[in-house]
Structure formats: C-alpha cells, structure tokens
Amino acid sequence: MESTSLHLELLFEGFADGIKCHKSNLSLKEELRKLREETNVEVLKQELDKERGKRLDLEQRMTEVLKTRLEDSPPQPARKQPSPSANGTEKQKETMYTRMMRLLYERVGVYIEDFRFQPEETTVEPEEPLSAKRLTENMRRLKRGARPVTNFMRNLSALSNWHSVYTSAIAFIIYMNAAWHGWAIPMFLFLAILRLSLNYLMSRGWRIQWSIVPEVTEPEEPSKEDLTVSEKFQLVLDVAQKAQNLFGKMADVLEKIKNLFMWVQPEITQKLYIALWVAFITSCVLPYKLVGFLVGLYAGIKFFIIDFLFKSCPKLRDKYDTPRIVWNNLPTDPQLKERSNATVSRRLSCAEKVQPVVSRSSLATVPCGVSREEESSRSHNPKKGAFHEVFNLTENERPLPVCENGWRCCLINRDRKMPTDYIRNGVLFVTENYLCFESSSSRSGSSKKNKVIKLVDITDIQKYKVLSVLPGSGMGISIATPSTQKPLVFGAMIHRDEAFEAIFTQYMKNMTTPGPET
C-alpha cells in the first residue's frame, strides 16, 4: 500500500510539472509573437536586401572604372621582388634608425618638452583663521629661525668690542695679513667652508662650542594648556605687541632706505650721490687689486679699531660717526607726514594773519608811528597766538625783516641721549635780543620743545659742517652757550650763509651796545 501511494504522489508531481512547462512554453510563444509584431522583421529583411543590391551595383561600377583606367595607361615593367638579403638589410637599417631616434629622444626630447608654452596656473593659497595658538607658534618659529643670525651678530659684536682680547687680537692680525696679501675673499670663503664642516660634525652628534660669547639659556615657557581665559588673552596681546614692534622696526628701515634713494631729504642723498660717483671713478681708474686692498684695509681698521672707540666713547660716536648720524637723520614716512602737516598748518595760520593786515593796509588803519614792516612782523603767527606768546617774550620782540617766515632747519642737541630730543625739526628766528627755535612737534602756544637763547649769552657762533668727510663749508650753524656742554647745531639750512650773517650781525650789535633788559 505504501509503494502504491508513493507511485501516485510521483505521478501527480510529474503531471503538475508538465502542466507548468506547458504553461511556460505557451507564455514564451506568446512573447515571441508579440516581439515579431513589434519589430516588423519582414520590413527589416526587405531593407537589408535593398542595401545588398546597392552594394553590388557599386562594386560593379568600381571594377568597370578600374578596367578603363588600366586600358588607357601605358604598360609598366614588372617590379622585381626584393631579395631576402635586401629585406634583411632594410630591416636592420630600420632597427638602427629606430634605435638612434629612441636614444636621441631619451637624451634630448625630454628637455625639449620642458620648453613647451603652457598657461600658468594661478593657485590661491587658503588663509588660515586667526588662532592664538597658531600666532604664538609662528612667533616662536620666527625666533628660532633668527637665532643663528642673532648669534652670528653677537659674535661679530663681541669680536669688534674686544670681548676676548686674545681672540680679537688673533683675528685682527690674521685679517690684516690676509688683506695685505690680497687674500681677504679666499679667507672668507675658507671660513664659510669651515663653518659648514663644523655644522656637519654637529649634525652627526659631535659637541663643538665655537662662540666668543656664551649662549644665553632662555627660560622655559609655561604650558599653554593650563592657562585661564584672561591669561590666554594677555598672551595674545603680548605676542601681538611683539609682532607690532618687529614690523614697525622693519618698516622704519625700509622707509628710510626708500627715502634715501628717492631724494626725500636732498642733503643726505646728495652725500650718497657724491660717494657713489667717487667709488665709480676710483673703480675705473685704479686697478681692482689695489681697490680691494684699500677696501679690505679700511674695513679691518673700521671694524676692529674705529667701532671699538665709538662704542667705548658714546660722545665721540655721536660727534664723528657719520653713517650713524646720517641714518638717524633719515626720516620715515610718518615723520614726513607730520612735517607736511606742520607746514600746512603753519601756512594756514600765516594766511589767516596776513589777510587782516592786507585789509588794513591803508594809512588810516595803521597806528601812528608804526611802519608797515613792523605791523606785518607784529602780526606774525608761527602756530597759535602771536610771536611773543609762543616763546613767552615781551610784545616788542618780533622777528627781524630778514626772517619773517624763519629758516627751516633741524636742531641737533648733542647733550641729549634720546633720539626724539637729540634731533628736532623746526624753524629758526632771530629778534633784536633773542634767537628763537620753534619745534615742528610743538602742539601748544608755549611748548617745552621750543628753544629760546639770549644773544648776549652766546659765547661762540660759527659755521658748522655736520659731516666732516664732505667738501665745502657745510649747511649748519654752531651756537655755544654756558648752559650746554656741547654747542647746539642748527643744521640742514638751505640759506645758511644768509642766516649766519643776520644772526652774527645782530649778535655783534648786542655785544657792542647791549639792549634793555627784558
């Protein structure tokens, strides 16, 4: 019974599978029929037969044309087939040619491709956002990068200051001997090679100390992670202040160099101009070996002897160190702007005071017994208020007619140490009894920066030349008084001779016939 039941189940399963296959065949046939109807196979066959007929017609026409051309053209001799040896030589030539071309391309072609013109790609670097950590790290990197330069400058300064007498004496003897024999440049090259060799040994782990001045150990900075918000803010302010001061010094140096070459202050640039012409003529006339010897000899004497004397005697440096004086006299752009603003304000104030004088030019408005020149000098206004108010003098003290507008100059007070007090720009006036200097930086009517000198107190007056190395009599006036250790110098005066004549004449008048006490 069980076997019969199994047979029946198998029959039923086979019957069911057959029914399913039949259904699937029917569905496939139906899909094929639909596909044929949609694609129109018969139409495609007809078009394909047409295309084949066209192709056969074109082939027959081409063969007919070729036959006609062959019949019209003359018979040509049959070409000889190349021998196998010739084929071998040609192949060998081709291989040699290809090898030569490949070798030439590998050697030269790569470099020729570098000369192809291509448009330059402009890439914009992304700017980093402001970060206190990044700012401090950049300042630290700048300090570390500038450390070799600062150490080198410290060693040079110590060598010039004779910090170690034996080292400086040995260096001086070696340098002067090299300069005497014309070996200054080879000596510097040898020192550069020696420095690189020592750096190589130090990079390999050698401990070599080659410094005249011992290195200063910098204190360790505290960690920035444990700082409070106020301490971090103060740290950012300190770093920003250092960056501001550094950029300010760099800007001052660049602006002074620019103003030196742009004739902003002609008196100083003229000296550089003359020096360049002298150097050019010397290099054209004298042999280069002699020029190198002279330059090397002067550099050695200046570095080891003159600079040592100047650094040991500050007063001597302030008086005779020409490059330092010229550099200090060079103005920066902010200083030039202040000068121009002071000049404009002076002109405006003078115009405001001159205008009412012109309107009162008739005799009816001029007081009796007062001349027109006295009236104009009385109404003179350097900055604010009348002349006597600016210098705290009596009303009868007025500038002489020869200096109604004053003489532009700079006061060099060699008793002062600060740069702001050492040199002042302004205007010089002379009255019947006083020599008055008005500083351009004065903001009020009676500024402390103004200078008033009584003519009878002057002990010596003479023409002065700020830079003794230049020809001529200079452009300054030296005034000696008992209250100053060194004479005051009024330099950079365009009309120096005229001013000296007026001041000296009035000084002699006061010395021979003293005026009334004020």
Side-chain angles (χ1 to χ4, degrees), residues 460-483:
D460 185 22
I461 177 173
Q462 58 183 349
K463 296 180 180 180
Y464 187 79
K465 183 167 59 172
V466 179
L467 300 176
S468 59
V469 297
L470 294 179
S473 59
M475 300 176 67
I477 298 175
S478 175
I479 303 293
T481 60
S483 61

Side-chain angles (χ1 to χ4, degrees), residues 154-156 158-160 162-164 167-168 209-214:
R154 286 173 62 246
N155 287 325
L156 282 181
L159 196 66
S160 176
W162 294 73
H163 180 79
S164 175
T167 306
S168 297
Q209 183 69 25
W210 190 26
S211 177
I212 302 174
V213 183

Side-chain angles (χ1 to χ4, degrees), residues 377-485:
S377 62
R378 177 178 292 182
S379 61
H380 177 78
N381 181 10
K383 281 189 180 296
K384 292 182 179 180
F387 183 85
H388 65 278
E389 294 178 357
V390 175
F391 297 102
N392 293 328
L393 300 175
T394 57
E395 294 185 1
N396 58 349
E397 291 293 337
R398 295 180 297 274
L400 297 178
V402 72
C403 62
E404 288 182 354
N405 296 325
W407 299 293
R408 297 289 302 178
C409 63
C410 62
L411 172 60
I412 303 176
N413 190 353
R414 292 179 292 175
D415 292 340
R416 301 298 180 91
K417 299 299 181 183
M418 296 297 294
T420 54
D421 297 333
Y422 184 80
I423 298 177
R424 297 178 191 171
N425 295 304
V427 184
L428 182 65
F429 300 91
V430 60
T431 65
E432 293 180 357
N433 300 305
Y434 293 94
L435 187 66
C436 305
F437 175 80
E438 182 187 8
S439 177
S440 300
S441 59
S442 61
R443 302 300 182 193
S444 60
S446 58
S447 175
K448 295 181 180 180
K449 295 184 178 181
N450 295 337
K451 194 76 175 176
V452 178
I453 304 172
K454 201 170 184 180
L455 292 177
V456 295
D457 293 339
I458 296 176
T459 57
D460 185 22
I461 177 173
Q462 58 183 349
K463 296 180 180 180
Y464 187 79
K465 183 167 59 172
V466 179
L467 300 176
S468 59
V469 297
L470 294 179
S473 59
M475 300 176 67
I477 298 175
S478 175
I479 303 293
T481 60
S483 61
T484 57
Q485 296 179 359

